[in-house]
Amino acid sequence: MSPAQKLELRRLFTFATVGALNTAVCYAVYAALVDGFAWHHNLALAADYALGAALGFIMHRLATFADRKHLRAAFGKYLAALIASFVLNVAVLDCIVASRLLDPIAAQVPALALVTLASYLLQKHWVFRSHSQEVIPRPAEPAQRRVAA
């Protein structure tokens, strides 16, 4: 496995770990607001995302993408990606709830699966992208020898 592949595997594992922790905390808040306080699922989801924005940015910046540089605009990009994720989440959640396939709490599970993938790709390729990352050189190819005829 190349150094770049090892780094990407480590980053993906860290993203999943940080994301799972953030998701567990935020999902518990979402479930408490829907079940315990009888909030509409979209309002509870908005509160969930507000909490997740703060926790997620701090944790992903410090752990998952700590090796990236030149991130002055990262928080603005992070919020934009989070808004896109929120819109996708609301759309998927509302479709599942409206079709009566699942209740709002259970419907959030498959919605989260789709949104998590989209969020990772946005964060990796746009939010925490470092334009000046050093490129890991490829091994030199052997020089071709000319055969005298």
Side-chain angles (χ1 to χ4, degrees):
M1 184 178 284
S2 75
Q5 290 171 323
K6 287 179 184 177
L7 175 64
E8 187 57 31
L9 188 59
R10 182 200 62 79
R11 184 177 291 129
L12 185 58
F13 177 76
T14 305
F15 182 86
T17 302
V18 166
L21 178 61
N22 191 22
T23 299
V25 169
C26 292
Y27 188 77
V29 169
Y30 170 81
L33 293 174
V34 171
D35 265 355
F37 295 97
W39 284 26
H40 187 273
H41 60 272
N42 286 343
L43 184 58
L45 190 62
D48 168 326
Y49 267 75
L51 175 62
L55 286 175
F57 181 80
I58 291 166
M59 290 191 301
H60 284 305
R61 178 62 189 108
L62 294 175
T64 310
F65 300 105
D67 61 320
R68 300 292 173 102
K69 298 176 182 166
H70 306 292
L71 298 174
R72 268 187 246 169
F75 189 69
K77 288 180 175 181
Y78 185 79
L79 288 179
L82 197 63
I83 290 168
S85 296
F86 176 77
V87 169
L88 176 62
N89 199 150
V90 168
V92 173
L93 180 63
D94 282 352
C95 284
I96 296 170
V97 171
S99 67
R100 299 185 192 275
L101 292 172
L102 299 169
D103 65 60
I105 292 177
Q108 181 59 2
V109 174
L112 274 175
L114 179 62
V115 171
T116 298
L117 175 61
S119 178
Y120 176 74
L121 294 172
L122 278 171
Q123 289 181 50
K124 177 186 174 201
H125 294 292
W126 185 57
V127 176
F128 294 109
R129 181 172 176 240
S130 179
H131 295 286
S132 64
Q133 280 183 308
E134 292 184 27
V135 176
I136 299 173
R138 292 183 181 176
E141 293 186 23
Q144 293 181 355
R145 296 183 188 158
R146 291 187 178 201
V147 178

